[in-house]
Amino acid sequence: MAWGVALWSLATFLTPWAADTSLWALLAARAMVGVAEGVALPCMNNMVARWFPPTERSRAVGIAMAGFQLGNVVGLMLSPILMSQGGIYGPFVIFGLSGFLWLLVWLSATSSVPDRHPQITKSELEYIKQKQQTSTRVNKQYITGGIPPFGRLLSKMPTWAVIVANSMHSWGFFVILSWMPIYFNTVYHVNLKQAAWFSAVPWSMMAFTGYLAGFWSDLLIRRGTSITLTRKIMQSIGFIGPGIALIGLTTAKQPLVASAWLSLAVGLKSFSHLGFLINLQEIAPEYSGVLHGMCLTAGTLAAIVGTVGAGFFVELLGSFQGFILLTAILYLLSALFYNIYATGERVDFDTTAA
């Protein structure tokens, strides 16, 4: 995580210099950002599996992802202000330096596993060890390393359930993040600074609902609901809800109404973090980081297709409506696939049978 943040902060900070140098230098800087950012979510999932027992993981993921969404809010709101004060390069310089400041806190306040943390209390360490059912095996796998069994991981349908869900999540996430300011500017003729504010509201909603979803998910499990059913409930709300909300978005005539539909879509989308995202730790605790990396590869490809495809789709049809409806349908189909093949139980990856 530290190396990833250091690399993407440096690449972000150097982006203005790269842009002034050549197109290839700019592309290289942005590629470096993407390579480095790829470690963030797998590392988060990896550490949650080590530090939190099953009955507390949903809240841990909810809090972490709330920070992720609040970062989008801050970025969308600050970028127009920074550009107006310091030019188009302002956000890159400020966000790059902020990454290095965060890094200092991270290095001084974290450790890979609980028993290596210099400030952890004896009672907290004992609590984690007592409730972490697979702690010994998981930590041993993480520390010793080795080549993951990619073939066996891909031979199981629960793996494909989380891969498909992550792909759809990334498709919707990056399409909304990338295109919604342009959507409000094009469809409702608001200026880009106002469009940034309209686009930031849904991410605030996502941060709030994500924590509530995490609390509710842990509560269901503590009260006896199976982990499998809990994950499927969260995933259904997180995909079916946005699918319906995006259909409603296509009917909006005013920017405030459109922002409300979009806020509902993005807010409900946060429930999926307590579906497929935390499910990675449950089906393969010893390979959760690796499996998350595999999911992110598929998700990144889906995000590229969705983000680039949206431009071609809008140019071909002359409106955003068709692409929004397509995204809504994909959400509904992905929810169905997940509910058929997902499980909250640990999967035996020692054999290749489905």
Side-chain angles (χ1 to χ4, degrees):
M1 180 71 87
W3 281 108
V5 174
L7 184 58
W8 86 58
S9 298
L10 178 62
T12 300
F13 181 79
L14 293 178
T15 295
W17 169 84
D20 285 337
T21 301
S22 70
L23 175 60
W24 287 109
L26 175 61
L27 293 175
R30 302 313 295 164
M32 191 184 301
V33 171
V35 169
E37 284 186 336
V39 309
L41 289 179
C43 285
M44 181 203 77
N45 226 348
N46 196 312
M47 292 191 70
V48 166
R50 306 183 202 187
W51 277 84
F52 294 90
T55 55
E56 297 180 12
R57 287 178 185 167
S58 296
R59 279 171 289 168
V61 171
I63 292 171
M65 295 307 294
F68 193 80
Q69 313 313 330
L70 290 174
N72 292 328
V73 175
V74 172
L76 284 166
M77 292 192 300
L78 279 186
S79 291
I81 298 173
L82 293 174
M83 285 190 288
S84 65
Q85 299 296 319
I88 197 170
Y89 294 149
F92 297 98
V93 174
I94 297 300
F95 295 154
L97 291 175
S98 298
F100 285 112
L101 291 176
W102 179 91
L103 186 61
L104 295 176
V105 177
W106 176 261
L107 291 173
S108 64
T110 62
S111 66
S112 295
V113 291
D115 53 9
R116 291 182 179 178
H117 198 287
Q119 298 174 344
I120 194 169
T121 64
K122 183 178 179 180
S123 60
E124 183 181 5
L125 183 60
E126 289 177 351
Y127 173 82
I128 294 173
K129 287 184 175 181
Q130 287 173 359
K131 292 202 170 187
Q132 180 60 278
Q133 297 174 348
T134 59
S135 177
T136 302
R137 181 178 175 184
V138 171
N139 288 340
K140 182 179 178 181
Q141 287 284 350
Y142 288 138
I143 294 170
T144 58
I147 300 175
F150 292 109
R152 294 199 299 273
L153 287 171
L154 292 172
S155 71
K156 309 291 185 175
M157 290 310 296
T159 299
W160 286 103
V162 294
I163 288 176
V164 169
N166 192 92
S167 298
M168 187 61 234
H169 176 78
S170 295
W171 173 295
F173 181 91
F174 286 103
V175 164
I176 293 173
L177 184 63
S178 302
W179 282 97
M180 284 306 101
I182 300 173
Y183 172 78
F184 280 102
N185 177 254
T186 303
V187 176
Y188 300 107
H189 309 294
V190 298
N191 63 52
L192 287 178
K193 183 177 289 189
Q194 291 175 318
W197 281 87
F198 276 115
S199 302
V201 171
W203 301 112
S204 302
M205 177 69 71
M206 192 176 192
F208 175 71
T209 57
Y211 177 74
L212 293 182
F215 180 82
W216 183 31
S217 180
D218 281 341
L219 184 63
L220 287 175
I221 293 173
R222 288 200 303 272
R223 290 184 174 179
T225 305
S226 71
I227 293 178
T228 297
L229 180 57
T230 300
R231 299 302 169 228
K232 290 183 178 181
I233 290 172
M234 296 296 127
Q235 191 65 41
S236 296
I237 297 173
F239 272 13
I240 295 175
I244 295 173
L246 288 178
I247 294 174
L249 176 61
T250 62
T251 67
K253 304 300 181 183
Q254 300 294 328
L256 286 176
V257 176
S259 183
W261 278 115
L262 192 61
S263 297
L264 181 62
V266 174
L268 293 176
K269 182 179 171 64
S270 65
F271 280 78
S272 68
H273 297 153
L274 292 314
F276 81 91
L277 185 58
I278 199 169
N279 195 204
L280 296 166
Q281 304 164 16
E282 295 158 346
I283 65 173
E286 67 270 40
Y287 301 118
S288 62
V290 174
L291 187 56
H292 201 160
M294 294 166 62
C295 288
L296 282 180
T297 298
T300 300
L301 293 175
I304 292 171
V305 172
T307 305
V308 176
F312 287 106
F313 210 97
V314 171
E315 185 176 357
L316 179 65
L317 297 183
S319 73
F320 281 90
Q321 274 26 37
F323 191 80
I324 292 174
L325 287 174
L326 172 63
T327 300
I329 292 171
L330 290 176
Y331 265 126
L332 300 177
L333 292 176
S334 298
L336 178 62
F337 188 87
Y338 184 88
N339 279 309
I340 292 174
Y341 293 111
T343 179
E345 304 300 321
R346 186 172 187 151
V347 176
D348 178 14
F349 289 108
D350 294 330
T351 62
T352 56

